[in-house]
Amino acid sequence: MTTTPAPDPSPVRDEEEKKPDTAPAAPARRFWAVRRVPAALLAAVVLGGAGLLLYDVAAVRAGHSAMAWRKEVADGLATRPLDSTWVLAGASLAAALGLWLLFLALTPGLRSVLPMRRDHPDVRAGLDRGAASLILRDRAMEVSGVQSAKVRVRRSKAAVRAVSHFRGLDEVRADLEHAIATGIDELGLARPPAPKVRVARPPRKG
């Protein structure tokens, strides 16, 4: 009786190990601001007003007279017409504050932090716009012919203004665009900003 040897699973295992990880990258969303200052101010105002009103109500229940400000507010609300200037101004102020709080609650904030690509789903990273501008400025200064450069990185655009003191402006602009594009790609941003390059001659003296 003859037996056939079982196939060696090691080549299959090697092929499985060589397969690249095709898992989709996690979406990179913007960072949300904590907004401690508006939250603390709102909590302090609500807590102070509620505490003062509760104290006045408890004092009235205990047989004391209500505070003067509460009597004035109650009389004003009972006698002042709704189309009064003070009523409209107070309502407009309250509506503006409410819209401001809704805006803070529904928007992420932290516009100075640019989200980076998420190659690992458990890792989130962001790059400060000032740091990105400084990195691209160093890249611009490495281009031959660039005397000075100013870079301002925004969410969708990277504006570069350079001054060239020798070489042709078209040549410097082409090399600068290539250097900035390479630098933006190396930043690893989730939404790379579009480069916008301007090159000019230095102002003449005298």
Side-chain angles (χ1 to χ4, degrees):
M1 184 177 66
T2 60
T3 59
T4 58
D8 187 9
S10 58
V12 179
R13 190 182 304 110
D14 294 339
E15 291 179 359
E16 292 179 354
E17 292 177 355
K18 292 180 180 180
K19 288 182 179 180
D21 187 9
T22 57
R29 297 182 176 87
R30 290 179 57 187
F31 291 85
W32 281 75
V34 181
R35 307 190 193 277
R36 293 187 177 92
V37 175
L41 292 177
L42 179 61
V45 171
V46 172
L47 182 61
L52 187 61
L53 183 61
L54 181 61
Y55 172 80
D56 190 50
V57 171
V60 172
R61 292 288 185 178
H64 300 282
S65 60
M67 294 183 180
W69 65 268
R70 189 177 147 187
K71 293 180 179 179
E72 293 180 1
V73 171
D75 294 340
L77 293 176
T79 59
R80 193 180 299 273
L82 296 179
D83 57 352
S84 174
T85 304
W86 290 104
V87 174
L88 295 177
S92 300
L93 179 60
L97 290 176
L99 291 176
W100 178 63
L101 292 175
L102 286 176
F103 175 78
L104 293 180
L106 298 177
T107 54
L110 290 181
R111 298 179 61 86
S112 61
V113 180
L114 301 174
M116 302 180 69
R117 290 192 297 263
R118 298 187 63 181
D119 297 331
H120 195 279
D122 297 331
V123 179
R124 292 188 65 194
L127 182 63
D128 186 78
R129 289 197 300 178
S133 301
L134 184 60
I135 293 173
L136 296 181
R137 179 187 175 277
D138 293 340
R139 280 303 190 104
M141 294 301 298
E142 295 176 357
V143 176
S144 177
V146 174
Q147 182 180 15
S148 62
K150 293 182 179 180
V151 181
R152 185 176 182 182
V153 177
R154 299 180 179 177
R155 290 181 57 194
S156 60
K157 183 175 63 176
V160 182
R161 294 183 179 182
V163 175
S164 175
H165 57 302
F166 71 93
R167 294 181 65 195
L169 293 181
D170 293 337
E171 297 178 359
V172 176
R173 184 181 298 105
D175 293 345
L176 191 58
E177 289 177 350
H178 177 72
I180 295 299
T182 304
I184 291 176
D185 183 67
E186 293 177 353
L187 292 178
L189 299 177
R191 299 177 182 85
K196 185 177 180 181
V197 179
R198 294 182 180 180
V199 183
R201 291 298 186 191
R204 295 182 180 179
K205 298 181 180 180

